[in-house]
Amino acid sequence: MGQGDIENKYTIILPTYNERENLPIVVALIETYLEEWKINYEIIVIDDGSPDGTLEIAKKLQEIYGSNKIVLRPREKKLGLGTAYIHGMKHATGNFIILMDADLSHHPKFIPQLIEKQKEGDFDVVSGSRYIEGGGVYGWDFKRKLISRGANFLTQILLRPGASDLTGSFRLYKKEILEKLIKSCISKGYVFQMEMIVRARSFGFSIGEVPITFVDRIYGESKLGGSEIMQFAKGLLYLFATT
């Protein structure tokens, strides 16, 4: 891949809400790693009306990197991840879509590895996994690790999804595959990522995995609370009943 990847273009969709500290860092890191590998890419920033001025920061980044690299598609208010991805895809010019968090929990250094893996097996989906050899989590307390592992274990038993990390959101998709998956998904929030993989399996799409290390957010509040855990449990039971 060192020679560059002329024929493919990768659209990175970054939904943001109160990420003014993280956004410049994540964009700089994406630029560093993708330019090094000569990967053709664009970043679509979808800010959901952040009160902290994330959009102003994004506009400055657009001035620095250019409007062909940083595409701004803001929305008025928080409307959820699934709709953010749909909104982003409408404007994507890449034939591959990368979904990741803007809070630095997903390190851009793994993007070239996701791309390499996709090419190896012409996979429809490549998922960054915390749970295969070489992957891991940093900055989580024991309780949070236990909840995450437990949720993943339960999901494996009930759904047998053919992927080791169901709730992660660092993934690479063929654009047309992602469009199909999003249309078929009805979950919101935390369960949405899991449903995407479950639906991919039910459609018979191929799934590759790359080990990633996940780092808990550096700035701002973690978004995983008690209500998300309940939502996850309900969503899991729903998927079990319908797939």
Side-chain angles (χ1 to χ4, degrees), residues 218-231:
I218 297 172
Y219 301 107
E221 286 298 307
S222 171
K223 297 182 175 85
L224 181 62
S227 65
E228 270 97 349
I229 293 161
M230 283 310 294
Q231 195 190 358

Side-chain angles (χ1 to χ4, degrees), residues 162-177:
S164 67
D165 193 340
L166 278 286
T167 52
S169 51
F170 195 1
R171 295 182 190 150
L172 166 67
Y173 296 85
K174 288 180 179 172
K175 187 182 184 182
E176 69 277 11
I177 297 291

